[in-house]
């Protein structure tokens, strides 16, 4: 074999271990990542990398999903998830229609099942839904042939957010295996936390949860046959000791009227991620927040905008990960 | 199953040397040349051609890699999903003479997809096509400018190109397609 400089050109690797085709993907819907295998998540990472190349082009559009219709159906407000899905679908040339519950027939009392029937009749290929009721997208799959993508259901799951968080870690660290991650804040109300626990543990990271005992879901931390094993450390300084990944969560102020916290002030004192506390983590630890950020409550502005924050990368990677998922789903739809 | 080797390592080496000479001959201004290999096996072929051209003409030609998964017309009808590889074009392709490089030319659909992918990235002066094997059965009006070997084949046969970089050995073989794959 000839040896030339071009052979060693790092930008043109042939990735000999990567197969040309794969059958590892087993999902027609994306409801949660609790049933995703490590190989499936790695397939998403791999495809996301290719999508990032598309996004770096001057014209960031490929014709892959031409003729496919994606409908977003949001029963709860959202900025980045919805925008991110719409941009992802448009970058792949799908037709995108958006429906907000507040301005549709839902406001006139139309049921979820009837609305889904309408979307099916309109020819939706992929429906992206956010719903305040945990489990709603699972029920929805019984009434629709389109692929259902869960963009957040109640307190239950937010699989695409977890995948973009996992991808962002993967991009920085190469692998998640053996990393220590801490999730700080309102775990109980957080679908982001639940999906991330599944994803992080599936990929081999160790997860610690840090929150006031009143915001810890009952039963978590005990050994559970249907939930991954996590550690609980209510003391934020101990929880941060030597970690690689720090995930902060939005304190859901609208859900704090029921006396779960003595006061927001106390919460800030005990659980805000500050520079001094972050110093206990590894020097290159990454700081995550799914947005929207309550600056000065769960995270100090200095950390949110500091050098270890990957909050903006999360948003950018969100589009690429969703492009990857839409592409993979389209490939799983047999004609 | 009868496997017939139609090109050995030496055949492949000689053929790529000949194609490199043809590329130099046909492109008077080789400064504008860029080789673009199509994943997977077009990429190592393009690199070898570039190395040959450097030997013969003393000029380093840029080499790119192109993945066509996003441009396929059969995404929903495939049994297996294509794994997307990295597209990596080293320079602006506007005004360049591009030589697309692939291992086997068959229906021509991959080449159609590759041309769509390239024109999304810019406006090349011209696009040529170099393939190691042309096995016929075109479904689109596409032909190659440089052909390593014409290999008339039946649709019930499979042509397998193996390259050292991807498969550990240089060899081209033809054999009857396994029955379970014919449905594809």
């Amino acid at each position: 074999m000839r040896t030339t400089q071009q052979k060693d050109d790092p930008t043109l690797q042939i990735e000999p271990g990567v197969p040309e085709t794969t059958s590892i993907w087993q999902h027609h819907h994306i409801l949660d990542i609790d049933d995703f295998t490590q190989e499936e998540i790695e397939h998403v990472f791999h495809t996301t990398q290719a999508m990032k190349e598309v996004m770096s082009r001057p014209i960031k559009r490929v014709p892959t999903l031409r003729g496919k219709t994606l409908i977003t159906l949001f029963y709860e407000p959202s900025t980045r998830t919805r925008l991110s899905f719409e941009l992802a679908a448009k970058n792949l040339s799908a037709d995108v229609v958006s429906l907000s519950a507040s301005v549709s027939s839902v406001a006139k009392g139309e049921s979820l099942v009837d609305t889904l029937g309408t979307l099916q009749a309109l020819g939706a290929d992929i429906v992206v839904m956010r719903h305040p009721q945990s489990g709603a997208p699972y029920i929805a799959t019984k009434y629709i042939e389109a692929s259902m993508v869960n963009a957040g259901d109640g307190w239950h799951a937010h699989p695409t957010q977890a995948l973009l968080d996992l991808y962002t870690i993967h991009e920085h660290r190469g692998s998640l295996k053996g990393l220590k991650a801490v999730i700080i804040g309102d775990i109980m109300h957080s679908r982001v936390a639940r999906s991330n626990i599944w994803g992080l543990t599936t990929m081999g990271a160790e997860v610690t949860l840090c929150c006031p005992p009143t915001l810890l879901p009952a039963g978590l931390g005990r050994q559970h046959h249907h939930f991954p094993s996590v550690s609980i450390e209510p003391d934020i300084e101990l929880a941060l000791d030597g970690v690689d990944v720090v995930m902060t969560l939005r304190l859901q102020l609208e859900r704090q009227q029921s006396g779960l916290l003595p006061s927001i002030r106390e919460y800030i004192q005990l659980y805000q991620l500050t520079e001094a506390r972050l110093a206990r983590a590894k020097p290159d630890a990454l700081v995550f927040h799914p947005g929207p950020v309550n600056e000065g409550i769960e995270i100090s502005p200095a950390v949110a905008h500091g050098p270890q924050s990957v909050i903006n990368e999360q948003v950018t990677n969100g589009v690429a990960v969703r492009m990857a998922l839409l592409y993979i789903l389209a490939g799983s739809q047999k004609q | 199953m009868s496997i017939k080797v139609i090109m050995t390592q030496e055949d492949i080496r000689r053929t790529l040397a000949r194609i490199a000479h043809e590329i130099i001959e046909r492109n008077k201004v080789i400064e504008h040349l860029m080789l673009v290999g199509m994943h997977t096996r077009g990429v190592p072929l393009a690199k070898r051609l570039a190395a040959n051209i450097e030997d013969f003409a003393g000029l380093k030609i840029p080499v790119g890699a192109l993945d066509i998964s996003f441009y396929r017309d059969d995404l929903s009808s495939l049994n297996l999903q294509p794994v997307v590889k990295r597209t990596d074009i080293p320079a602006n392709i506007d005004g360049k003479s591009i030589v697309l490089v692939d291992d086997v030319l068959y229906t021509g659909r991959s080449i159609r997809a590759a041309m769509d992918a390239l024109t999304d990235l810019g406006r090349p002066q011209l696009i040529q096509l170099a393939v190691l094997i042309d096995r016929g059965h075109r479904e689109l009006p596409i032909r190659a400018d440089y052909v390593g070997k014409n290999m008339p084949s039946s649709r019930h046969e499979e042509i397998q190109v193996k390259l050292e970089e991807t498969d550990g050995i240089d060899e081209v073989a033809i054999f009857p397609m396994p029955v379970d794959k014919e449905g594809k």
Side-chain angles (χ1 to χ4, degrees), chain A residues 189-232:
Chain A
H189 297 111
S190 177
R191 52 195 176 212
V192 176
R194 274 183 191 72
S195 286
N196 263 320
I197 291 170
W198 281 110
L200 286 164
T201 50
T202 301
M203 298 311 287
E206 290 169 33
V207 179
T208 300
L209 306 179
C210 174
C211 63
T214 47
L215 292 181
L216 189 69
L220 241 180
R222 267 182 266 142
Q223 207 64 23
H224 236 287
H225 67 283
H226 60 269
F227 203 78
S229 118
V230 293
S231 322
I232 314 286

Side-chain angles (χ1 to χ4, degrees), chain A residues 136-258:
Chain A
Y138 291 79
I139 293 168
T141 60
K142 299 196 168 116
Y143 298 94
I144 198 159
E145 281 164 36
S147 288
M148 175 64 59
V149 179
N150 183 2
D153 61 328
W155 302 354
H156 170 246
H158 195 346
T160 61
Q161 175 73 42
L163 286 168
L164 76 88
D165 290 344
L166 298 176
Y167 177 77
T168 306
I169 302 172
H170 167 83
E171 206 175 35
H172 279 270
R173 291 288 184 277
S175 161
L176 283 83
K177 200 165 175 54
L179 294 187
K180 288 185 191 334
V182 60
I183 307 179
I184 305 170
D186 187 355
I187 313 276
M188 175 146 81
H189 297 111
S190 177
R191 52 195 176 212
V192 176
R194 274 183 191 72
S195 286
N196 263 320
I197 291 170
W198 281 110
L200 286 164
T201 50
T202 301
M203 298 311 287
E206 290 169 33
V207 179
T208 300
L209 306 179
C210 174
C211 63
T214 47
L215 292 181
L216 189 69
L220 241 180
R222 267 182 266 142
Q223 207 64 23
H224 236 287
H225 67 283
H226 60 269
F227 203 78
S229 118
V230 293
S231 322
I232 314 286
E233 177 49 69
D235 183 317
I236 188 169
E237 315 224 320
L238 295 178
L240 282 166
D241 248 340
V243 299
D244 305 275
V245 172
V246 185
M247 292 189 165
T248 54
L249 299 170
R250 185 172 72 91
L251 184 66
Q252 307 209 358
L253 297 167
E254 66 276 18
R255 288 175 177 144
Q256 302 305 338
Q257 311 307 322
S258 46

Side-chain angles (χ1 to χ4, degrees), chain A residues 1 22 31 73 81 89 123 128 136 161 186 189 217 244 246 305 322:
Chain A
M1 203 168 46
T22 178
L31 302 174
L73 173 61
T81 304
V128 176
Q161 175 73 42
D186 187 355
H189 297 111
D244 305 275
V246 185
H305 302 285
R322 289 172 178 120

